[in-house]
Amino acid sequence: MSFGEPNNPYGQQPQGQQQPGYGYPQQTPQGVPPQQGYGYPAAPPVDQYGGFPAGPTEMPGGVKAARVMLWIVGALNLIGGLVVIALSFAVGSELEKSGTSTADAEAFANLGQGLLIVVGVFSIIFAVLGMVLAAKFKSGGNGVRICSIVYAAFIVLFSIFSLPLGIVSMALGVLVIVFCAKADGSAWFNRQKQQY
């Protein structure tokens, strides 16, 4: 029984003795995505609800670092605000002990004490805002990212006025801006919300 020339790829071959590399492969080679038809790429994977890809499922390292930095800046602002308020009451009591009784000195002391209290309350509010933003990093959307970038810009701005002590908070603010503005940070905050 003759099966044709052995070097002819189109000649008849006995069943089970196909030459390698001819015809259609039985499986897709490893590392090659499955194709849909000739020349058409495969459709993107869909999530379990029939939508487009949900995005990253784990928070990127830069976003985690930005979140920790927001917690640190918030804690520092909270402590600073409480110290400034305590200092305002200490200054007020020291002025009363010094015996200054002129109306001008008393008005100046009250104005200074009031100003310190306002600065302390503002610092506490700013700290709480940073902590809320840090807590929203896990579930928040693009609005949390934008608010975090604006918040960090204010950190940098206020740090300029408190140099050289503000160099740490300035560096943290710049890093929060960079990590939230990077592509992986944007992908994290723009990911599709999963519905439960």
Side-chain angles (χ1 to χ4, degrees):
M1 174 181 221
S2 173
F3 291 107
E5 278 187 48
N7 293 331
N8 184 0
Y10 302 108
Q12 294 181 356
Q13 296 288 324
Q15 203 67 336
Q17 289 186 351
Q18 300 254 339
Q19 291 185 3
Y22 293 108
Y24 292 106
Q26 298 297 324
Q27 305 178 4
T28 307
Q30 199 164 7
V32 176
Q35 302 294 313
Q36 291 182 342
Y38 298 105
Y40 293 102
V46 293
D47 65 359
Q48 61 183 345
Y49 305 105
F52 289 104
T57 56
E58 186 178 333
M59 191 182 300
V63 177
K64 286 181 184 177
R67 183 182 191 189
V68 169
M69 289 175 201
L70 282 177
W71 280 112
I72 291 171
V73 169
L76 290 175
N77 278 326
L78 184 66
I79 292 169
L82 293 174
V83 166
V84 166
I85 290 174
L87 184 66
S88 72
F89 289 115
V91 168
S93 66
E94 282 299 317
L95 287 176
E96 286 178 11
K97 288 180 186 176
S98 68
T100 352
S101 60
T102 64
D104 290 337
E106 213 171 288
F108 182 74
N110 289 338
L111 177 68
Q113 185 178 12
L115 185 62
L116 285 176
I117 290 173
V118 167
V119 168
V121 168
F122 178 74
S123 180
I124 291 172
I125 291 171
F126 196 69
V128 169
L129 177 63
M131 291 177 179
V132 167
L133 285 172
K136 289 279 193 177
F137 265 42
K138 185 101 174 146
S139 63
N142 197 36
V144 174
R145 180 178 78 95
I146 292 170
C147 287
S148 298
I149 291 172
V150 171
Y151 179 83
F154 277 113
I155 291 172
V156 172
L157 179 68
F158 293 141
S159 297
I160 291 172
F161 297 118
S162 62
L163 285 176
L165 295 176
I167 194 76
V168 173
S169 59
M170 180 186 291
L172 292 176
V174 169
L175 288 173
V176 167
I177 292 172
V178 169
F179 289 144
C180 287
K182 281 176 44 177
D184 60 347
S186 178
W188 171 255
F189 287 108
N190 288 323
R191 73 194 186 285
Q192 180 181 354
K193 300 281 188 283
Q194 291 189 357
Q195 302 166 359
Y196 295 103

